[in-house]
Every structure is written in structure tokens, then in C-alpha cells.
Amino acid sequence: MSSDASEFDPDRIESYKFPETTYTYSERDVALYALGIGACARDAVDVDQLKFVYHDKGQKFIQVLPTFAALFSLGSLPGGLGLPGLKYDPRLLLHGQQYIELYKPLPSNACLKNTVSLAGLHDKGKAAILEIETKSYDKDSGALLCMNRTTAFLRGAGGFSKSSHPYSYSNYPKDKVPSVKIPKGQPFVVFEDCTQPSQALLYRLSGDYNPLHSDPTFAKVAGFTRPILHGLCTLGFSVRAIVKCICRGDPNLVKCISGRFLLHVYPGETLLTEMWLEGLRVIYQTKVKERSRTVLSGYVDLHGLSSSL
Ligand SMILES: CCCCCCC/C=C/C(=O)SCCNC(=O)CCNC(=O)[C@H](O)C(C)(C)COP(=O)(O)OP(=O)(O)OC[C@H]1O[C@@H](n2cnc3c(N)ncnc32)[C@H](O)[C@@H]1OP(=O)(O)O
């Protein structure tokens, strides 16, 4: 029996073959991204930050922050998430989680080939959760640079299961991405940073033009008093804090990043990133100071620790 084209159809979503995509970026994109996640905003001569936006001390290439890799996945998704069988209200989409594995230092400019697949689809009743996996290869060398698993929380799109058992599909073992437990003790370090009222307007220039982050009317329909910050911008602030405080400015110490967006952030709010070190894992949570609410939590795995730590 063929299903109605306007229905949410998990089988059609599961069988969809995503086309390969390309993503090209230059040093200008890398610098614009770094500014979008607050690099050098408080101190334009900070030695740990300047190298991400400028050829500091005559370096040949500017360096790339690890969360820049998340942009490759957004560039690889079909416009408006128009997957056959996926019925949802785009105004109610929220970014739920981001998971990134980095296999090589990110070059300061590149042309990438992305392979894209469905990593998960879950019926949570009030929402559908969609996970997309993107593997990004350097087109010239063929080297695999990174993998992103991007999770969308589609409010109002749940309830599509055809049996009494809620539909849940995953292409990866759940235990491969451990859930994060925030330690009871005091954090090893806390980093405070201010987002600017214009933060989302600057960040969107890195490629996510969803009006949720810029249009007051759209934001109200989505349930917010005003436009909210991109989840990946908050993640960028948090991981930049970890690179500064724990990696002593070395972005290439980062091996993998996991983050769950727990609550929205309004541009202009102050972020407090709390970090605990457990071996080579940094567990972190980020709070909005003004509202005393946790907005993001996760972990960052490192290749090693900086000798000066
Ligand atoms: C394919 C990807 C496309 C991505 C496009 C990206 C576009 C960018 C958009 C943005 O940047 S939006 C801004 C950033 N995101 C946010 O601000 C979201 C902040 N989080 C929230 O507002 C809430 O956490 C929530 C997502 C609304 C969920 O809260 P709610 O109270 O409704 O959920 P629960 O009842 O606690 O849980 C229900 C169910 O869902 C699971 N779950 C909860 N939160 C998340 C999450 N963030 N990511 C993934 N899954 C989540 C939770 O575990 C429950 O499942 P069970 O445990 O019951 O199985």
C-alpha cells in the first residue's frame, strides 16, 4: 500500500539515499567563523585567539577552531530538510545535539566532498528526533577529515509510530556516544564570556540563515520572545573556552566533541563554561549567568594534555 505523500513516513526517510555534496571554504570563512563565536571580542591581542583570525607572528596559515567542522554538515543537508517522508513544521525545528570526530587538523582552506546518511530517527511523542551523519573528505587528497552527527529536535512531529512501540532507528551503537554525567565536585576551571546582542547576526554569515536567529516575528511564532542564538554558536563559545583554558590555545589537541542543547540562549547573554578534567576527557556545562540556567552540556576528548597544564 503506498503512503500519502503528505504523511510522516519513517520507511521512506530510512530508505532515502542522500546525494554527495561539496563544501569549499577559504581563510576568510575561517576568520569570519572565529569572530562569530567570539574570538578576540574581549581582547583583540589575545595570543591564544589572534591566530584564529589573523596571520599572527607571520604564521603561514591562520589556525582553525575545531568546531568549524560543524559547518560542513549544515552545508550538506538538503535545503529546509526537505527529505521525502519527513513532515514537520520548519518553524518548530531546534538543534538538539552535535557530535564531531576530528581525524586530521583542519586546513585553513579546502574543497571537501561530503557523504551523508541517516544516523537516527526516533519518535518521542511530542517530537521527532532526526540524526544526520556527514563524513567530510579533502577532495584533493581523499583524506577523511571529520565526521559530524547532527541532531534535529522537530517539535510537534512525533507520534508517527505505526505500532504501540515508539519508532527508533539508529545506525550506531548508543554506547559509542556516552551520556555525560556532570561531576559533583567543583569545576577544574570556569570561563566567563559575553555574547553580543548582534552575535547571531554575525554568526549567521557563516552559513546558517534560519530566520529563527534574526527575525523577531519568526522567533515569536517559534515560541521565543526574540531571535535566539544558533546552538552551534554556543557550542563554539564553549569549545573555544576549553581550547583556551585546557588546551592552552592548541586546537589540534581536540579529538572529538559532544554537546546537547538544553535551553535556548538570547544574544547578549553571558556564558559561563564550567570544565572538569577526567583523564583525557573534558566534561563541560555552559550556563547563562543572567538566568542561572544550564543551556549546554557535553564532553570534549583530547589527544593529550598540554605540558603547561
Ligand atoms: C538534521 C539537523 C538539522 C539541524 C539544523 C540546525 C538549525 C539550528 C537551529 C538552532 O540552532 S536552534 C537553537 C539551539 N537549540 C536550542 O536552543 C534547543 C535547546 N533545548 C531545548 O529547548 C529543549 O531541550 C528541547 C530540545 C525543546 C527538549 O526539551 P523537552 O523538555 O521538550 O524534552 P524532554 O521532555 O526533556 O525530552 C523528551 C525526549 O527528547 C530527548 N531530548 C531532550 N532534549 C534533547 C536534545 N536537546 N537533543 C536530543 N534529544 C533530546 C529526551 O532524552 C527525551 O527522550 P527519552 O529520554 O524520553 O527517550
Side-chain angles (χ1 to χ4, degrees), residues 95-97 124 126 129 150 153 231 260-264:
H95 200 156
Q97 298 182 144
K124 298 291 181 188
K126 62 178 165 183
I129 290 183
T150 308
F153 192 93
R260 177 179 272 214
F261 305 110
L262 302 169
L263 193 68
H264 57 280

Side-chain angles (χ1 to χ4, degrees), residues 1-15 83-87 160 162:
M1 194 176 67
S2 70
S3 63
D4 179 341
S6 66
E7 257 179 33
F8 195 115
D9 184 345
D11 298 331
R12 279 185 83 198
I13 301 171
E14 243 191 78
S15 60
L83 301 182
L86 182 66
K87 191 172 160 264
F160 57 83
K162 288 174 186 146

Side-chain angles (χ1 to χ4, degrees), residues 74 77 81 93-97 124 126 129-132 150-153 155 208 210 212-213 224 228-232 260-265 295:
L74 292 184
L77 295 170
L81 272 188
L93 178 152
L94 291 172
H95 200 156
Q97 298 182 144
K124 298 291 181 188
K126 62 178 165 183
I129 290 183
L130 177 75
E131 302 178 278
I132 303 285
T150 308
T151 304
F153 192 93
R155 292 176 289 167
D208 185 347
N210 183 341
L212 176 61
H213 311 293
F224 303 101
I228 62 171
L229 200 58
H230 303 71
L232 288 181
R260 177 179 272 214
F261 305 110
L262 302 169
L263 193 68
H264 57 280
V265 174
V295 293

Side-chain angles (χ1 to χ4, degrees), residues 3-59:
S3 63
D4 179 341
S6 66
E7 257 179 33
F8 195 115
D9 184 345
D11 298 331
R12 279 185 83 198
I13 301 171
E14 243 191 78
S15 60
Y16 179 70
K17 296 276 171 279
F18 289 79
E20 263 183 26
T21 60
T22 55
Y23 186 88
T24 303
Y25 67 88
S26 66
E27 283 209 332
R28 187 176 186 282
D29 301 310
V30 171
L32 181 63
Y33 169 78
L35 294 171
I37 61 161
C40 289
R42 287 200 309 187
D43 180 0
V45 293
D46 181 341
V47 286
D48 287 340
Q49 309 280 303
L50 197 53
K51 60 189 172 196
F52 299 120
V53 297
Y54 177 68
H55 291 229
D56 190 25
K57 301 193 188 92
Q59 65 183 351

